[in-house]
């Protein structure tokens, strides 16, 4: 595939192990070397056998790689890049899968000034983490956003784009700052709201915790899935995409106040209009194949 004979994956959690599995399934001619800083994760990865080789030393892991993908939490990207730097081939392309892009792009450019870096973000995931949580079809039909800087080599962008397409993803290119604003709205704010609601409910004095759990099918349960997402990953996302998240949060607070006012004033039309608009958004997501139309997310009752 496009001159890529070996891919090295640094960080073998949900995303890294899913990439390795997808390569095995869809690009069997490409060899995969995996590395994780945790010995326990390396042992599990060996057992699950989704890489051709698992290497304990980060520089050794990238030695023969044509494409290196950093799949570590956003706050660990700089360290991971510094650790692989001494082992990289001069012509290797370095990419990542971080959920925020401007900060990561800066960190990677600083740590790897002599290398081609093409950042990317597969917009696909689950609330689970670790090497056992990954699966080969995670990226199928999902979007991967590639955020090259203005001076990036077109050939290298094509390699990264073709790689993600080969794993089943649809690829879009945009600049890092725009990515961070879009994802603040579609991913980061929803996670923050879920973390808030689940935290608030667990601290209410008038409603017991057992009642919250017992009656969770009223809506709360759907927020708990998102609020169960990896704490380290999400800590880093909010710290690194601070400005875009705060800007979006400001808008959210204003809209929340509008709804609060409508409820207080008994403004039925305002509430109904608003909820009609949001229902249409759900329909568009289903129509565009980004979710299943099955009622209640396809849960078996
Ligand atoms: P994960 O399941 O927690 O896996 C991350 C792995 O990287 C862990 O095993 C971690 O080990 C290891 N690691 C940390 N620092 C390292 C280093 N310096 N060198 C080598 N390995 C290191 O997380 P994930 O969900 O796969 O997320 C990985 C990246 O993908 C993050 O940047 C995240 O923002 C992005 N992403 C996530 C999703 C999602 O839904 N989960 C979706 C798209 C993109 P330790 O346990 O020792 O830290």
């Amino acid at each position: 595939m496009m001159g890529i004979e070996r891919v090295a994956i640094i960080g073998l959690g949900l995303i890294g192990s899913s990439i390795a599995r997808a390569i095995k399934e869809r690009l069997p001619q490409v060899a995969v070397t995996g590395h994780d800083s945790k010995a326990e994760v390396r042992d599990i990865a060996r057992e699950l056998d989704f890489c051709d080789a698992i290497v304990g030393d980060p520089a050794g892991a990238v030695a023969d790689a044509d494409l290196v993908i950093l799949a570590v939490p956003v706050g660990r990207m700089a360290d991971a890049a510094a650790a692989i730097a001494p082992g990289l081939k001069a012509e290797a392309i370095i990419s990542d899968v971080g959920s925020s892009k401007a900060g990561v792009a800066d960190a990677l450019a600083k740590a790897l000034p002599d290398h081609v870096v093409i950042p990317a973000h597969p917009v696909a995931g689950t609330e689970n983490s670790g090497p056992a949580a990954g699966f080969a079809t995670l990226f199928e039909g999902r979007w991967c956003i590639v955020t090259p800087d203005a001076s990036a080599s077109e050939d290298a962008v094509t390699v990264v784009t073709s790689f993600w397409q080969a794993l089943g993803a649809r690829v879009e290119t945009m600049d890092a700052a725009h990515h961070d604003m879009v994802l603040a709205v579609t991913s980061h704010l929803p996670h923050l709201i879920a973390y808030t609601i689940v935290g608030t409910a667990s601290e209410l004095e008038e409603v017991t915790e057992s009642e919250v759990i017992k009656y969770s099918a009223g809506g709360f349960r759907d927020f708990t899935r998102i609020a169960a997402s990896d704490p380290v990953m999400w800590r880093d996302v909010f710290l690194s995409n601070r400005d875009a998240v705060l800007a979006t949060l400001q808008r959210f607070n204003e809209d929340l106040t509008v709804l609060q006012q409508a409820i207080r004033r008994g403004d039925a039309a305002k509430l109904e209009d608003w909820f009609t608009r949001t229902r249409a958004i759900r329909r568009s997501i289903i129509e565009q194949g980004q979710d299943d139309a099955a009622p209640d997310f396809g849960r078996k009752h």
Side-chain angles (χ1 to χ4, degrees):
M1 191 224 131
M2 307 228 38
I4 303 292
E5 288 178 11
R6 182 174 289 275
V7 174
I9 301 172
I10 308 299
L12 300 173
L14 170 71
I15 301 296
S17 76
S18 293
I19 295 172
R21 288 169 164 105
I23 294 174
K24 269 212 153 175
E25 214 159 85
R26 291 170 155 265
L27 296 168
Q29 72 282 14
V30 174
V32 183
T33 306
H35 163 79
D36 196 285
S37 53
K38 220 181 218 169
E40 189 192 326
V41 173
R42 295 198 297 273
D43 288 343
I44 297 170
R46 277 192 196 97
E47 211 164 285
L48 295 172
D49 199 28
F50 49 66
C51 290
D52 299 295
I54 300 286
V55 176
D57 159 44
V62 300
D64 297 319
D66 309 296
L67 174 63
V68 178
I69 299 183
L70 300 168
V72 303
V74 165
R76 304 282 295 273
M77 291 287 180
D79 286 352
I84 59 166
L88 287 170
K89 291 207 286 196
E91 64 279 18
I93 297 171
I94 296 69
S95 190
D96 75 296
V97 295
S99 304
S100 64
K101 296 269 57 101
V104 171
D106 280 352
L108 296 185
K110 273 198 196 97
L112 303 168
D114 303 324
H115 284 90
V116 177
V117 179
I118 310 288
H121 174 205
V123 186
T126 74
E127 65 279 25
N128 301 319
S129 45
F135 52 98
T137 55
L138 179 61
F139 311 110
E140 276 177 19
R142 300 275 89 92
W143 287 98
C144 180
I145 302 174
V146 179
T147 62
D149 73 18
S151 64
S153 122
E154 256 179 53
D155 287 351
V157 174
T158 304
V159 169
V160 173
T161 299
S162 313
F163 174 74
W164 280 104
Q165 286 168 340
L167 301 195
R170 297 190 264 175
V171 178
E172 185 104 8
T173 302
M174 62 179 74
D175 73 56
H178 187 64
H179 165 281
D180 288 353
M181 188 47 93
V182 172
L183 270 290
V185 176
T186 58
S187 171
H188 308 169
L189 184 66
H191 276 79
L192 194 67
I193 293 168
Y195 282 127
T196 315
I197 290 175
V198 175
T200 304
S202 71
E203 278 170 19
L204 284 178
E205 276 148 22
E206 305 84 344
V207 182
T208 65
E209 203 168 311
S210 71
E211 283 174 316
V212 169
I213 293 166
K214 188 167 160 191
Y215 302 118
S216 67
F220 180 74
R221 185 175 70 177
D222 293 339
F223 284 100
T224 61
R225 183 190 71 75
I226 297 179
S229 297
D230 192 77
V232 171
M233 170 189 156
W234 283 97
R235 175 199 70 191
D236 285 2
V237 169
F238 290 117
L239 295 177
S240 87
N241 199 22
R242 191 181 76 154
D243 294 349
V245 169
L246 292 178
T248 315
L249 193 56
Q250 172 70 28
R251 289 287 297 269
F252 174 77
N253 278 327
E254 288 167 20
D255 290 345
L256 192 61
T257 305
V258 169
L259 288 180
Q260 192 179 358
Q261 209 172 51
I263 294 170
R264 185 159 27 80
R265 291 179 179 168
D267 188 343
K270 176 107 219 157
L271 294 174
E272 195 175 329
D273 280 357
W274 197 290
F275 303 161
T276 304
R277 201 155 46 86
T278 57
R279 177 177 252 196
I281 291 171
R282 169 76 187 157
R283 277 201 212 103
S284 315
I285 290 170
I286 292 165
E287 275 160 24
Q288 290 184 28
Q290 296 299 304
D291 204 356
D292 203 300
D296 199 16
F297 300 109
R299 288 187 180 100
K300 290 186 187 75
H301 293 284

